[in-house]
Amino acid sequence: LLRDSSLQEISTSSARMSALQLAVHMDMPHLVRILCRHVVNDVGRNSSRDSPPLIMAANSGYNECLEVLLASFGTSSLLTTRDSLGNTALHCCCRQEVNGANTLHFLLDFISSAGSSVLFKNLSSKNHEQQTPLHVACQNGRDNVVDVFLQQVSVSLLSKLLVLQDSQQQTPLLAAVAAGSTDIVMSLLMWRGNNYICSTPTKPCPLAWAVRSRNVDMVQL
């Protein structure tokens, strides 16, 4: 394999990866499928330097590898696997710019099959910054990812997620305000208005948060 010049770049990092990690890193779902037949514990492996295979797939937006991993081990508990920052696969896909929305769509369908309580547990899961996956999407300006949340998650569940705060006392809306994510702020405000949950004001105040961020456009919005 190392005679192939396209693989020279990963020769150093691959030395510390397991076979399954390397197959995911190279986005080779057919090899992942073969390895999953023989490797049981490695799917949740997390060394000091590398992420578990599931996290690697979600981080890179390798949806086929992600699907193979979940289908092979067939358990939603696999999604509780975390990286060194406390992020689950849901957190990771919400940070993805290219394939994040598709990955989230797939993961929501997969988790929903396990029941509403399991879905809420995963969506309300927080990383070391006390951020939920929705916080991560809002903070990174992933409006297409937030749209998936608004379209696929029930009103009752979303109303609970939208009031959760991170370590900076930011709700997902406040995270979007601070990040200057105009489209996301508008989508969340419209969703809240359409679903009649604006009677309890968010604290701290979104307008004050916009002033704090010194974003004139956000203040006007």
Side-chain angles (χ1 to χ4, degrees), residues 42-95:
D42 191 49
V43 71
R45 173 187 171 184
N46 189 8
S47 68
S48 60
R49 295 184 178 182
D50 297 306
S51 296
L54 189 76
I55 297 296
M56 293 174 69
N59 257 327
S60 300
Y62 295 158
N63 292 347
E64 288 187 65
C65 289
L66 191 66
E67 185 171 0
V68 170
L69 288 167
L70 290 172
S72 296
F73 293 92
T75 172
S76 59
S77 63
L78 187 61
L79 290 168
T80 60
T81 302
R82 297 176 182 272
D83 64 13
S84 59
L85 299 177
N87 294 306
T88 65
L90 278 171
H91 287 93
C92 295
C93 77
C94 288
R95 198 167 48 213

Side-chain angles (χ1 to χ4, degrees), residues 90 93-97 100-102 104-105 108 123 132-153 158 161-162 172-173 175-177 181-192:
L90 278 171
C93 77
C94 288
R95 198 167 48 213
Q96 265 292 319
E97 184 173 5
N102 290 333
L104 178 62
H105 178 80
L108 288 178
L123 290 180
T132 66
L134 184 54
H135 275 101
V136 173
C138 291
Q139 183 185 57
N140 287 276
R142 305 297 184 232
D143 54 306
N144 58 338
V145 174
V146 173
D147 285 342
V148 174
F149 275 107
L150 299 182
Q151 293 166 11
Q152 280 194 249
V153 180
L158 267 175
L161 294 175
L162 286 171
L173 173 60
V177 170
S181 303
T182 304
D183 290 341
I184 293 178
V185 171
M186 181 62 74
S187 294
L188 292 179
L189 289 176
M190 290 179 64
W191 185 92
R192 285 173 48 168

